[in-house]
Amino acid sequence: GVFASLPLCAVIEDKVYVAHGGLFRDPSPGKGAKGHKAKRRKAGKGKLKLGSLGQLRSASKGGFDPDNTVASQLISTDVLWSDPQLCKGLALNENRGIGLLFGPDMTEEFLRENKLKMIIRSHEGPDARMYREDMKTLTGGYSVDHEGESGKLVTIFSAPDYPQFAEPDERTHNLAAYIVLRHPDVASPEFKQFSAKPRPHLSAFSAFYEEDEW
């Protein structure tokens, strides 16, 4: 219930679109079913094209966890789980099994059509980018993934030394970052990087008891 009450994204001063994953498709090829009565269909059926902010405002989040097989929830799953790519166009995000991959031309189109200047998203960490050699690294806490005439797309990651609870040789030892947006020029971000603070060594501990031992 709490999740369903939270916004999917934010638009700051009509210039900056902020989302967990990124861009989203126009769900109209599967139009006709709404809400909990939505018909199930294979995600991505038909030609993929970008959705509009109007469609996003009326999107269904579907309660506990959006389902990309339900037509009315396609926008929410894309907003949450999509990733940028360097090649042009839109494609299904086969690696994740949910959401889209969107190219710099799609970022440019979305910014231009909605009169925006920047997209900020935060879905990927440095560990994910280790397996995406076509994309910039996130070891510094952020990357500018797309830049075009209308603006740019930025990925920000705010967890240093990720994953924090893994053994040292399994961590990426990355810096983290956050973005400061200052009025009136909110589309000119200031990146603030920071490192992890030393943490005490704690061993994981679990205890199991039979019911009559409590």
Side-chain angles (χ1 to χ4, degrees):
V2 172
F3 176 82
S5 297
L6 294 173
L8 281 172
C9 66
V11 176
I12 302 172
E13 294 195 6
D14 297 320
K15 293 182 180 179
V16 182
Y17 168 80
V18 183
H20 180 248
L23 301 186
F24 51 93
R25 77 192 81 181
D26 179 350
S28 58
K31 202 172 182 180
K34 296 183 179 180
H36 67 282
K37 295 181 180 180
K39 295 179 181 179
R40 290 184 170 267
R41 65 180 180 82
K42 186 177 180 181
K45 187 178 181 180
K47 185 178 179 179
L48 294 170
K49 63 177 182 176
L50 282 179
S52 68
L53 286 181
Q55 291 171 319
L56 175 58
R57 290 187 182 98
S58 61
S60 166
K61 284 180 285 186
F64 292 109
D65 194 10
D67 185 341
N68 70 329
T69 65
V70 177
S72 65
Q73 296 179 26
L74 282 175
I75 286 179
S76 55
T77 56
D78 290 347
V79 169
L80 291 171
W81 305 117
S82 293
D83 296 307
Q85 62 180 2
L86 290 189
C87 57
K88 293 181 178 181
L90 288 175
L92 296 180
N93 199 334
E94 301 286 0
N95 184 51
R96 295 190 185 279
I98 194 169
L100 301 174
L101 292 171
F102 58 95
D105 57 327
M106 295 293 99
T107 294
E108 172 65 22
E109 179 181 331
F110 184 79
L111 293 174
R112 183 180 65 251
E113 293 296 321
N114 294 291
K115 298 179 173 60
L116 299 168
K117 297 296 184 184
M118 183 167 61
I119 297 170
I120 300 176
R121 41 94 63 182
S122 58
H123 179 25
E124 295 175 287
D127 56 333
R129 287 290 174 93
M130 290 171 60
Y131 302 101
R132 301 191 67 196
E133 296 180 357
D134 59 320
M135 299 299 294
K136 295 178 182 178
T137 178
L138 280 167
T139 54
Y142 72 93
S143 67
V144 179
D145 296 317
H146 295 162
E147 288 189 87
E149 183 178 340
S150 298
K152 56 192 170 185
L153 177 138
V154 173
T155 298
I156 191 84
F157 192 75
S158 300
D161 199 14
Y162 187 80
Q164 292 91 333
F165 301 106
E167 293 298 322
D169 59 351
E170 297 175 349
R171 298 178 201 151
T172 53
H173 305 289
N174 62 291
L175 292 175
Y178 62 92
I179 296 178
V180 178
L181 304 180
R182 301 187 188 278
H183 179 81
D185 194 10
V186 295
S188 296
E190 180 182 354
F191 298 98
K192 299 284 189 177
Q193 295 171 294
F194 60 97
S195 58
K197 296 296 184 181
R199 56 177 67 83
H201 177 74
L202 296 174
S203 299
F205 174 77
S206 299
F208 298 92
Y209 297 91
E210 296 294 338
E211 187 175 343
D212 58 0
E213 292 181 319
W214 286 95

